[in-house]
Amino acid sequence: MDKENKKELGLGKSAALPERAGIPEEYKWRLEDIYPTQEKWEEEFSALKARLPELAEFRGTLARSTARVKELFKLRDELSITLEKLFVYANMRSHEDTADSKRQGPANRISALSVEFAAASSYVTPELLSMPKERLEEFSKAPELSEYSFGLRELLRRREHVLSEAEEMIIARAGDMAGAAENAFSMLTNADMAFPAIKDEKGKRVEMSEERAVAYLRSRRRAVRKAAFESLYSPFCAMKNTLGATFDGMLKGAKFYAACRKYASPLAEALDADDIPLSVYDNLIDTIEKNLAPMYRYMELRRRALRVRELQMFDLYVPLVADPFKDIAWSDAKKMMFRFLAPLGEEYVAQTRRGLAEGWVDVFPNRGKRSGAYSWGSYATHPYIFMNYTNNLNDVMTLVHEMGHSMHSYYSHKSQPYATAGYCIFTAEVASTTNEVLFLSGLLAETKERRRRLYLLNRRLENIRTTVYRQTMFAAFEREAHERAAKGGDTTPEGLKELWYALNRKYYGGGVVINEQLKMEWARIPHFYTPFYVYQYSTGFSAATALARGILERGEPAAKKYLSFLTKGGSDHPIELLKGAGVDMSTPAPVEAVVREFEETLDEMEALI
């Protein structure tokens, strides 16, 4: 942040956070681009609510003609676009100041209206699937329904897994019960758990939360890291039976839904949503597990760099080099992003400049502002980026990451009709991570000073360790846990602890001490309550690394293919979309490429340390 802005916003190290009203407009997003006033939001909310009954007029008539189907789809799109716009505005307003209760009301009301909309349109899919297969195929090939063709073909592809209207209603109503395990896990870990206090680097006693404990695992003082580790896992070990019960509830819920929808397994159900072959999941795990030797080398390098006799699990997150990138002004952060995203072309960079100048980003923290960062928006709006920028390299890379998502949305919404503008997680993480990889590669290319270079090399190694190796280990754990649940295997807390121990021993090697407390780490991973989600972090990072390397090596031709991919939204299955961009995730090649990058980075770091 520029010095004058630091002073103006009161964001010095010891200063209190400013009120929202004290943030200059140039650092706030422009939600007025969506609705100029809250009154305009209220008007459109009321108008949308009044129109929901229009959906019922089409019930029982869809088989008549393609014209009738198109009329319904257009109506549903129109209402859905408005609903999204209302939803985004209300929630982003509430995130500006979570302490302002007046902002929460609209967010709650639009959530309730979303449920009403879903109920009003819930008959559409069952009614379409009740038609003879030949009739639905005819609709999928009709020129007047061309923008809906992919969605109709998807209905046909997944036809055997969609139940009758009555059965679908039962499944929907079971949703609250199925979510009980995750809700219990969330309340237990977020509200009820108490983490023992520790002493910080200055010997001061500090209260702990899960987030604080994780932050202290990066401490330069080993005793503090050890204390934070023990504090973090203490309540999870104490509550292993309760956590085991919530995890078992999730396993049983996943098994129930897969069986109801006639899938061979929960894994098959999860991958089928985007037509991802099972081989992609298995190839990821097999390829990484054949390439664990570089990880063992990195662990030995980390042990030597930290000058410890034995590397403990609480030693894995501390940077090997202190962060030399301090006090990066917002103006400099933007310049860095523009410079290092230049390989994507002048038009891409020019649009990011326009976005930042035209109110896409909410930059600085203020009192009551929600924590974290995200990219959001709707089909009817430009993208928005929510940040809490605090002048460090992490925040610069957060901007770069979220801009990747925003530019994906920008190109997709600009090029695709509403029906195919949305993209799935499998491809979403590619767009954001490609930006990150390009940024870090560019920063490394211009960094010659040894300590700065070591810091960046270590950061790249950690990115790959935590996003590819670690998330793949998570994927292997999920696969085995769900297989045990299906076959009556050991899914008790003790059984899962031993499985987690075995996987950590395999992935990190014999040179790392696997602490007893770490055996409960599986119990603190919230993503496991969305089965078979985490593997997409590994595949996304692998695809992004391959794409970024291609752009840097081959220049404009590779960049053009990548930008074309960004325009495709959800118009095809993600594997096919990525093939068009130049990477084939149905083969081990992209995962092997990221392993090579890990090895090459490790080679240089070993030479410099």
Side-chain angles (χ1 to χ4, degrees):
M1 188 186 306
D2 299 323
K3 288 181 180 178
E4 61 269 25
N5 292 330
K6 269 190 186 179
K7 183 177 179 181
E8 179 183 1
L9 300 178
L11 291 179
K13 288 184 178 179
S14 61
L17 286 172
E19 298 296 333
R20 179 74 183 176
I23 304 286
E25 294 301 313
E26 65 186 290
Y27 301 118
K28 296 178 183 177
W29 53 19
R30 285 210 314 244
L31 298 189
E32 295 79 11
D33 294 349
I34 309 177
Y35 294 105
T37 63
Q38 183 64 34
E39 289 71 28
K40 289 292 183 183
W41 184 94
E42 294 288 352
E43 288 175 16
E44 192 148 80
F45 178 91
S46 298
L48 177 64
K49 188 175 180 66
R51 293 192 65 190
L52 290 190
E54 293 178 31
L55 291 163
E57 297 172 11
F58 293 84
R59 189 170 193 147
T61 70
L62 299 183
R64 290 181 189 172
S65 65
T66 53
R68 189 67 174 162
V69 173
K70 183 176 182 178
E71 191 179 355
L72 168 64
F73 283 0
K74 287 295 184 183
L75 172 64
R76 186 173 63 172
D77 286 356
E78 181 186 351
L79 299 182
S80 185
I81 289 169
T82 301
L83 180 69
E84 280 185 9
K85 191 168 62 157
L86 288 161
F87 193 93
V88 163
Y89 179 88
N91 280 276
M92 291 198 297
R93 274 287 183 226
S94 73
H95 297 164
E96 293 175 345
D97 186 353
T98 59
D100 184 351
S101 60
K102 291 181 180 179
R103 296 169 182 254
Q104 307 310 312
N108 294 337
R109 287 162 54 212
I110 194 60
S111 292
L113 190 61
S114 299
V115 174
E116 290 183 42
F117 175 82
S121 57
S122 63
Y123 71 88
V124 176
T125 295
E127 185 169 326
L128 288 170
L129 289 173
S130 68
M131 300 176 189
K133 182 180 178 181
E134 295 72 23
R135 183 64 166 156
L136 194 52
E137 287 176 341
E138 179 186 332
F139 285 175
S140 72
K141 296 173 183 177
E144 58 267 43
L145 291 174
S146 58
E147 67 186 272
Y148 303 104
S149 178
F150 180 70
L152 289 168
R153 293 199 309 273
E154 282 294 275
L155 279 183
L156 283 164
R157 181 179 69 82
R158 304 181 68 193
R159 184 187 185 98
E160 66 180 293
H161 303 295
V162 178
L163 309 179
S164 69
E165 185 173 353
E167 289 169 328
E168 288 289 347
M169 183 64 73
I170 293 171
I171 291 290
R173 287 177 175 171
D176 285 343
M177 290 187 295
E182 182 177 6
N183 291 338
F185 167 81
S186 179
M187 293 303 296
L188 179 63
T189 56
N190 292 318
D192 294 343
M193 273 190 175
F195 297 84
I198 69 168
K199 290 184 178 180
D200 66 11
E201 291 86 348
K202 297 180 180 179
K204 181 181 177 182
R205 183 179 173 86
V206 289
E207 292 184 7
M208 281 289 102
S209 64
E210 185 168 2
E211 291 75 17
R212 276 190 175 181
V214 170
Y216 275 107
L217 286 176
R218 297 174 61 84
S219 172
R220 303 296 297 173
R221 291 198 61 181
R222 200 176 194 215
V224 174
R225 298 198 299 272
K226 183 174 186 292
F229 182 89
E230 291 172 350
S231 174
L232 175 61
Y233 286 102
S234 173
F236 287 95
C237 292
M239 299 181 184
K240 70 174 183 179
N241 293 316
T242 303
L243 290 163
T246 64
F247 194 87
D248 188 58
M250 177 275 298
L251 291 174
K252 287 176 177 172
K255 182 179 176 182
F256 166 79
Y257 280 110
C260 286
R261 295 202 177 279
K262 305 170 189 173
Y263 284 101
S265 67
L267 175 57
E269 181 181 16
L271 298 190
D272 189 53
D274 294 312
D275 199 27
I276 306 293
L278 284 168
S279 60
V280 170
Y281 197 96
D282 293 335
N283 279 341
L284 170 67
I285 296 172
D286 292 345
T287 303
I288 288 297
E289 292 190 353
K290 288 175 183 174
N291 289 278
L292 292 173
M295 178 58 65
Y296 302 162
R297 277 176 58 201
Y298 176 45
M299 291 299 100
E300 174 57 19
L301 173 67
R302 177 167 277 276
R303 185 193 68 77
R304 287 190 283 109
L306 293 175
R307 299 178 181 179
V308 296
R309 186 172 63 84
E310 289 183 323
L311 192 69
Q312 301 270 352
M313 293 303 292
F314 53 75
D315 293 320
L316 296 194
Y317 292 93
V318 58
L320 298 183
V321 181
D323 185 358
F325 293 89
K326 303 291 186 183
D327 235 12
I328 303 174
W330 173 246
S331 57
D332 290 333
K334 293 187 290 184
K335 291 174 186 175
M336 291 170 73
M337 180 174 72
F338 301 148
R339 186 161 74 251
F340 299 136
L341 295 186
L344 292 174
E346 291 181 10
E347 195 281 330
Y348 185 98
V349 175
Q351 184 53 54
T352 65
R353 287 181 184 274
R354 285 193 295 270
L356 291 176
E358 295 173 4
W360 283 21
V361 186
D362 204 75
V363 182
F364 296 120
N366 58 254
R367 187 180 301 278
K369 187 175 178 181
R370 176 181 149 159
S371 61
Y374 60 72
S375 170
W376 207 8
S378 75
Y379 189 75
T381 74
H382 60 68
Y384 286 91
I385 295 174
F386 180 90
M387 292 194 67
N388 282 278
Y389 188 80
T390 56
N391 308 71
N392 57 54
L393 187 61
N394 280 338
D395 288 351
V396 180
M397 294 196 72
T398 296
L399 170 65
V400 171
H401 179 99
E402 301 304 343
M403 185 59 77
H405 286 309
S406 287
M407 290 300 289
H408 195 182
S409 296
Y410 170 80
Y411 280 114
S412 175
H413 293 174
K414 182 180 177 182
S415 306
Q416 294 292 322
Y418 180 71
T420 53
Y423 46 80
C424 65
I425 293 295
F426 196 95
T427 53
E429 290 305 314
V430 174
S432 55
T433 310
T434 297
N435 269 19
E436 280 194 67
V437 175
L438 288 172
F439 180 91
L440 187 53
S441 296
L443 186 54
L444 266 166
E446 71 171 33
T447 300
K448 307 303 179 186
E449 195 274 322
R450 177 178 171 275
R451 288 193 65 80
R452 285 186 165 227
R453 191 162 184 84
L454 276 171
Y455 177 82
L456 295 175
L457 291 169
N458 187 201
R459 189 182 184 103
R460 178 185 279 168
L461 289 175
E462 280 298 292
N463 287 347
I464 298 173
R465 178 183 77 82
T466 57
T467 311
V468 180
Y469 280 96
R470 180 171 161 82
Q471 299 296 334
T472 300
M473 185 185 75
F474 286 7
F477 173 81
E478 281 194 280
R479 185 176 66 179
E480 175 62 22
H482 283 272
E483 284 183 3
R484 289 185 182 186
K487 298 174 181 177
D490 188 356
T491 58
T492 64
E494 288 302 321
L496 295 174
K497 284 173 63 177
E498 291 310 310
L499 171 59
W500 195 255
Y501 172 84
L503 284 168
N504 276 272
R505 171 60 61 230
K506 175 189 283 187
Y507 275 70
Y508 288 112
V512 181
V513 176
I514 311 297
N515 317 71
E516 180 65 25
Q517 299 102 314
L518 189 89
K519 292 181 181 180
M520 279 300 294
E521 186 180 29
W522 56 270
R524 56 171 289 258
I525 311 299
H527 281 111
F528 286 161
Y529 288 81
T530 305
F532 305 106
Y533 180 95
V534 297
Y535 85 98
Q536 296 171 108
Y537 290 119
S538 300
T539 55
F541 196 101
S542 300
T545 299
L547 289 168
R549 178 169 281 199
I551 291 165
L552 292 171
E553 292 175 354
R554 297 191 295 278
E556 187 177 355
K560 281 186 174 180
K561 289 177 73 174
Y562 173 72
L563 294 178
S564 176
F565 155 75
L566 295 183
T567 69
K568 299 297 177 57
S571 59
D572 204 345
H573 298 124
I575 293 292
E576 298 305 315
L577 292 173
L578 286 169
K579 283 180 182 177
V583 59
D584 187 353
M585 291 307 298
S586 66
T587 73
V591 182
E592 291 169 345
V594 82
V595 169
R596 284 197 300 275
E597 178 142 311
F598 187 83
E599 288 184 287
E600 291 166 6
T601 306
L602 185 59
D603 289 341
E604 183 178 355
M605 194 160 185
E606 286 175 331
L608 286 175
I609 278 189

